[in-house]
Amino acid sequence: MLRQRLDHFSSLPPQQQQRMLSRMETWEHLTPGQKDEVRNLFGRMQELPPDRRRMVTTAIRDLRAMPPGQREQIIDSSRFKTMFSPEERDMMRGAARLPLAPPENGRPEE
C-alpha cells in the first residue's frame, strides 16, 4: 500500500506534489488540539450538502486572503448572515483561526 501511495505521489504534477508536501508540513506543526479541531471541522464540512460545502469552502478560501480582523468583519456582515447559516459561519470562524498551509501563487488553497 505504501508503494502504491508513493507511485501515485510520483505521478502527480510538481505543483500538486508541492501542495501536498506543504499541507503535510503544516499538519506536522499543529498541536494535538489543533489537529482535533481540523478533524472536527472536516467532519462538519462533510455533513453539508455538496452545494453548501462548495459555497463554504469558497468563502473560506476567500477569507484566507484577508487579514484576520477583516475576516471576522466579513463573517459577521449582513451579506454573510444572509448567505450562510450560523453553523456555516461558525465553521468559517474555525477555519480562519487555524494555521493552514500558505496560499499558492497568491491564491489561497482549498
Side-chain angles (χ1 to χ4, degrees):
M1 185 168 58
L2 189 56
R3 178 72 180 165
Q4 287 176 334
R5 286 183 182 178
L6 182 59
D7 288 343
H8 172 72
F9 179 81
S10 296
S11 71
L12 297 173
Q15 287 178 325
Q16 195 170 355
Q17 287 180 5
Q18 189 56 48
R19 189 170 55 240
M20 288 178 73
L21 291 172
S22 177
R23 287 179 178 165
M24 290 186 322
E25 176 76 17
T26 299
W27 181 259
E28 179 181 326
H29 293 286
L30 294 178
T31 66
Q34 288 171 323
K35 288 178 181 180
D36 287 343
E37 207 172 327
V38 170
R39 287 182 192 108
N40 181 335
L41 181 62
F42 182 76
R44 290 170 56 199
M45 292 282 290
Q46 293 303 104
E47 292 173 2
L48 294 174
D51 61 326
R52 297 305 300 173
R53 185 173 41 233
R54 276 190 296 278
M55 284 183 68
V56 171
T57 300
T58 299
I60 290 170
R61 188 177 313 140
D62 293 345
L63 289 165
R64 288 191 54 222
M66 301 174 191
Q70 188 180 6
R71 291 176 194 161
E72 196 61 35
Q73 287 178 325
I74 298 296
I75 292 169
D76 288 335
S77 71
S78 58
R79 179 173 166 249
F80 265 46
K81 286 179 180 177
T82 302
M83 290 176 61
F84 299 103
S85 72
E87 171 77 6
E88 290 167 338
R89 289 185 300 113
D90 185 56
M91 286 184 237
M92 291 175 201
R93 271 190 195 87
R97 281 192 313 264
L98 293 168
L100 302 174
E104 184 177 292
N105 298 330
R107 289 203 39 167
E109 286 189 46
E110 296 177 21

